[in-house]
C-alpha cells in the first residue's frame, strides 16, 4: 500500500510541492543566484583588474586587452568558484536574513507597519547574515581574486605566465605558502565589508520595497503614482538601486581589501589597511603627494563597471527571486 502510494505521480508531486514550500528561501536564492552570477561575472572580473592596475585605462581598452591576451575565458576565469559557492552563500544569506526577520516578528520587535521598522529590521537581518556568512565566504573570495589576477600577480613576481594554474592548483599554492590562515588573508577587511555592506543592502531594499507598496506580509500592492513603472519591475528597480548605492558606500573598503590580498598573494611586504589607503589616495611618495581629488578618483576606479554589474546581478536576482517565490506560492496543496 505504502509502496503504491509512494510511486503515485500525484503523491510525488504533492511531496515535491511541500518540499519547495518548506525551503522556499533556499530554492529562490539558488535559482536566482546561478543566473545573476553568470550574467555579472565578466564585469566583476574587469572590476578586480581595474582596482589593482597601476596605470589608468578605460574599460573598453581593458576588455580588449583581456580578450587579446586571454581570450573569452579571461572574462570567466575563476567562475566556477562563485558559481558553486556564492549561490550557496546567497542561499544561506537569505535563510539567515529571513530567519532573523521572523525572530523579530515572533518576538514583536520592530513590527509596526512603518518605514523605520521595516528598514531597520532589514538592516539588522542583513548585518547578521553578512557577519555569519563572511566566515565561509572569505576563502572562496580570496581564491576568486587570485584566479582573476593571476597574470598581475605573476608579473609582480617577475614570472612570465604561459598557462595560469587552475582553481585547485591556486588553492594548493595558497595553502602550501601560508597554510589554512592563508585562505583568510585580509579577513578582518572582508568581515567588515560584508557585515556593513549586507546591512546597508537589505536596509535599503526593504525600505524601498515598503515605500513602493509592499506589505509587511510580503505581497506587492499598488505602486505610488509618482513611480512610472509596473509593479512587476519593482524588484528589479529596488534591487538595482540598493545594490549600486550600498556598493558605492563600501567600495573604498573593497579596493583596499583587494589590494592587500594581491600583495599578500604576490609575496610582497605587508601593508596595513590604513597605509594601503593612504598610498592609494596620496601616492607612494609622502614628500610629493598626489592631488586629493585624483587620489579619490583612483580609489573609485572601476566603480562604473561595478555599478553596471550591480544593476545586472541584483536586479536579476530579486526579479527572479520574486518570480520563483510566486511560482512556489501558487503550487497546489
Amino acid at each position: 500500500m505504502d509502496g503504491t502510494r509512494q510511486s503515485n505521480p500525484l503523491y510525488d508531486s504533492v511531496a515535491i510541492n511541500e518540499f519547495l514550500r518548506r525551503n522556499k528561501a533556499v530554492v529562490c536564492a539558488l535559482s536566482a543566484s546561478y543566473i545573476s552570477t553568470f550574467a555579472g561575472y565578466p564585469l566583476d572580473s574587469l572590476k578586480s583588474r581595474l582596482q589593482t592596475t597601476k596605470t589608468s585605462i578605460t574599460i573598453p581598452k581593458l576588455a580588449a586587452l583581456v580578450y587579446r591576451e586571454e581570450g573569452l575565458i579571461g572574462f570567466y576565469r575563476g567562475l566556477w568558484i562563485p558559481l558553486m559557492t556564492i549561490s550557496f552563500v546567497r542561499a544561506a544569506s537569505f535563510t539567515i536574513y529571513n530567519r532573523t526577520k521572523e525572530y523579530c516578528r515572533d518576538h514583536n520587535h520592530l513590527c509596526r507597519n512603518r518605514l523605520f521598522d521595516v528598514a531597520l529590521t532589514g538592516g539588522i537581518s542583513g548585518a547578521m547574515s553578512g557577519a555569519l556568512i563572511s566566515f565561509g565566504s572569505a576563502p572562496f573570495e580570496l581564491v576568486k581574486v587570485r584566479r582573476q589576477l593571476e597574470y598581475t600577480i605573476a608579473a609582480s613576481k617577475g614570472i612570465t605566465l604561459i598557462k595560469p594554474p587552475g582553481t585547485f592548483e591556486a588553492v594548493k599554492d595558497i595553502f602550501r605558502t601560508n597554510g589554512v590562515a592563508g585562505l583568510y588573508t585580509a579577513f578582518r577587511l572582508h568581515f567588515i565589508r560584508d557585515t556593513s555592506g549586507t546591512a546597508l543592502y537589505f536596509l535599503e531594499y526593504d525600505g524601498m520595497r515598503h515605500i513602493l507598496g509592499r506589505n509587511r506580509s510580503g505581497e506587492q500592492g499598488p505602486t505610488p503614482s509618482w513611480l512610472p513603472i509596473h509593479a512587476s519591475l519593482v524588484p528589479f528597480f529596488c534591487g538595482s538601486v540598493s545594490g549600486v548605492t550600498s556598493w558605492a558606500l563600501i567600495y573604498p573598503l573593497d579596493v583596499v581589501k583587494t589590494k592587500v590580498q594581491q600583495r599578500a598573494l604576490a609575496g610582497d611586504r605587508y601593508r596595513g589597511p590604513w597605509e594601503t589607503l593612504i598610498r592609494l589616495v596620496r601616492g607612494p611618495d609622502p614628500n610629493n603627494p598626489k592631488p586629493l581629488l585624483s587620489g579619490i578618483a583612483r580609489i573609485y576606479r572601476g566603480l562604473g563597471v561595478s555599478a553596471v554589474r550591480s544593476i545586472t546581478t541584483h536586479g536579476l536576482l530579486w526579479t527572479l527571486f520574486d518570480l520563483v517565490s510566486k511560482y512556489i506560492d501558487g503550487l497546489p496543496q
Side-chain angles (χ1 to χ4, degrees), residues 2 32 64 69 81 125 140 150 176 180 250 252 258 284 302 326:
D2 289 339
E69 293 186 351
I81 298 169
S125 303
F140 297 110
E150 289 285 6
R176 184 171 55 250
V180 175
I250 64 167
T258 303
K326 288 178 182 177

Side-chain angles (χ1 to χ4, degrees), residues 19-194:
F19 172 83
L20 292 175
R21 275 190 289 270
R22 283 200 314 268
N23 300 278
K24 185 169 76 169
V26 175
V27 174
C28 293
L30 279 176
S31 54
S33 291
Y34 280 128
I35 298 173
S36 60
T37 299
F38 185 84
Y41 192 80
L43 297 171
D44 184 66
S45 183
L46 289 175
K47 181 266 298 181
S48 293
R49 296 166 192 267
L50 283 168
Q51 286 180 342
T52 55
T53 183
K54 295 181 180 179
T55 57
S56 179
I57 186 172
T58 64
I59 294 172
K61 285 184 178 179
L62 178 61
L65 181 65
V66 172
Y67 182 77
R68 185 168 64 250
E69 293 186 351
E70 305 176 44
L72 188 61
I73 192 68
F75 296 99
Y76 285 95
R77 191 173 305 286
L79 171 66
W80 291 111
I81 298 169
L83 206 60
M84 291 187 298
T85 60
I86 288 180
S87 297
F88 288 98
V89 165
R90 278 184 177 154
S93 178
F94 273 94
T95 301
I96 296 169
Y97 160 74
N98 283 324
R99 292 289 183 269
T100 306
K101 289 178 68 173
E102 289 171 3
Y103 176 87
C104 291
R105 182 195 63 205
D106 295 342
H107 291 79
N108 202 31
H109 299 319
L110 300 169
C111 286
R112 294 172 300 177
N113 191 31
R114 298 181 182 177
L115 175 62
F116 178 83
D117 287 35
V118 173
L120 187 57
T121 303
I124 293 170
S125 303
M128 180 69 71
S129 172
L132 294 176
I133 292 301
S134 65
F135 289 92
S137 64
F140 297 110
E141 178 151 338
L142 178 72
V143 176
K144 182 196 76 172
V145 170
R146 164 65 187 264
R147 293 286 285 120
Q148 289 177 337
L149 303 178
E150 289 285 6
Y151 286 86
T152 305
I153 293 170
S156 66
K157 292 180 178 180
I159 301 172
T160 301
L161 199 62
I162 299 175
K163 182 181 179 182
T167 298
F168 291 109
E169 287 78 8
V171 173
K172 286 193 293 184
D173 185 57
I174 294 171
F175 184 79
R176 184 171 55 250
T177 305
N178 296 304
V180 175
L183 294 171
Y184 283 87
T185 300
F187 174 70
R188 283 182 295 178
L189 293 173
H190 180 88
F191 178 86
I192 295 170
R193 187 204 68 175
D194 276 16

Side-chain angles (χ1 to χ4, degrees), residues 259-279:
K259 193 67 177 178
V260 170
Q261 289 177 329
Q262 180 202 8
R263 288 185 61 82
L265 291 169
D268 294 335
R269 181 184 70 83
Y270 173 76
R271 290 189 187 130
W274 184 247
E275 182 185 359
T276 301
L277 178 63
I278 294 297
R279 288 176 66 91

Side-chain angles (χ1 to χ4, degrees), residues 99 203 212:
R99 292 289 183 269
L203 182 147
L212 299 184

